Amino acid sequence: MAAEAHASRKILQTAARVALIGLLVNVVLASIKIVAGVVGHAYVLIADGIESALDIGGSIVIWGGLTVAARPPDETHPYGHGKAEPIAAIAVALGVLAAATGLAIQSVREIFTPHHGPAPFTLAILIVVIVVKEFLFRYVIRVGQQAESTAVKTDAWHHRSDALTSAAAFIGISAALLGGEAWYSADDWAALFACAVIAANGIRLLLPAFHEIMDTAPAEKIVRSIRAVASSVPGVVEVEKCHARKMGLEYYVDLHVGVEGNISVHDGHEIAHRVKSAIQQSDSRIADVLVHIEPAR
């Protein structure tokens, strides 16, 4: 068990380093986009840069949440600090929604404000941003899926969101350059579309983290597997109840197991130990199993 707990903490520490890499990349890209947007008269690029700047705050929150979640259990947190991970994901998702709302309001204002057309060099910057962000998304989502980390997957979709908003910016600036003065507001419309994409991603990121905070039951596949393993243990007659909840990267299970009613307390205790051991050996993500022994009906 100590080795499994250490492995979970190691995964969380790796995920925290991934979030830190994303943070550094966002610092560089946000600076480049905002400066290029101001110099190149491209509001959509400025909006995109602001969104990347907000991602910096998101990456800091994700990194902090994963760092806290990696701490081992203590006297005040006997189940560990795993809830810090979905809390961080919720904070980031709410930040994304707030950013989308603020940028949408500003985009509408810019549509009705006369301004210069965007400079062609901004397109080259956007191409680089799209390539870098899509690469980051694929790398981080792979880490998040391997670790089954809600926070890391949230951070990954931040990168995909940024790639999509940059793609929208590319289309808007291209339309403004090709269409001339009559199309100068195209980049503002593109910024508005980007806000819709950002908001949709924010909602999609918020829901799984919220479910995890509320101790929503994990996938039915996991529960079926636990039941099957428990039922296969000698002495188990039936599995009446099986509840599981996710804590960080680990699962905690409560199980009601039916045994023959005439066996001794000692034998029932031994069966409970075998059930717990079998379930934990079947899935390294299961940190603890509470087995309640009762007479089978």
Side-chain angles (χ1 to χ4, degrees), residues 137-188:
F137 164 75
R138 293 174 185 270
Y139 170 63
V140 177
I141 197 68
R142 187 167 63 249
V143 173
Q145 288 170 343
Q146 289 171 349
E148 293 196 3
S149 168
T150 303
V152 174
K153 286 187 277 190
T154 298
D155 205 27
W157 280 100
H158 253 159
H159 296 307
R160 169 57 67 82
S161 175
D162 214 4
L164 290 173
T165 56
S166 294
F170 184 90
I171 294 171
I173 290 175
S174 297
L177 289 171
L178 294 173
E181 188 173 348
W183 286 77
Y184 279 176
S185 64
D187 71 316
D188 302 318

Side-chain angles (χ1 to χ4, degrees), residues 225-237:
S225 174
I226 293 170
R227 281 181 170 273
V229 171
S231 298
S232 68
V233 175
V236 174
V237 177

Side-chain angles (χ1 to χ4, degrees), residues 16-60:
R17 285 195 293 271
V18 169
L20 193 57
I21 292 171
L23 187 154
L24 295 174
V25 171
N26 281 330
V27 168
V28 174
L29 293 182
S31 301
I32 291 173
K33 286 192 280 190
I34 291 173
V35 171
V38 171
V39 175
H41 305 293
Y43 178 71
V44 67
L45 195 52
I46 297 173
D48 200 14
I50 292 172
E51 200 267 333
S52 291
L54 291 168
D55 281 352
I56 295 170
S59 294
I60 291 173

Side-chain angles (χ1 to χ4, degrees), residues 110-152:
E110 288 293 321
I111 288 172
F112 299 102
T113 303
H115 54 73
H116 294 287
F121 77 85
T122 56
L123 292 176
I125 291 173
L126 285 168
I127 291 173
V128 173
V129 170
I130 292 169
V131 171
V132 171
K133 279 294 187 174
E134 185 62 22
F135 172 80
L136 263 178
F137 164 75
R138 293 174 185 270
Y139 170 63
V140 177
I141 197 68
R142 187 167 63 249
V143 173
Q145 288 170 343
Q146 289 171 349
E148 293 196 3
S149 168
T150 303
V152 174

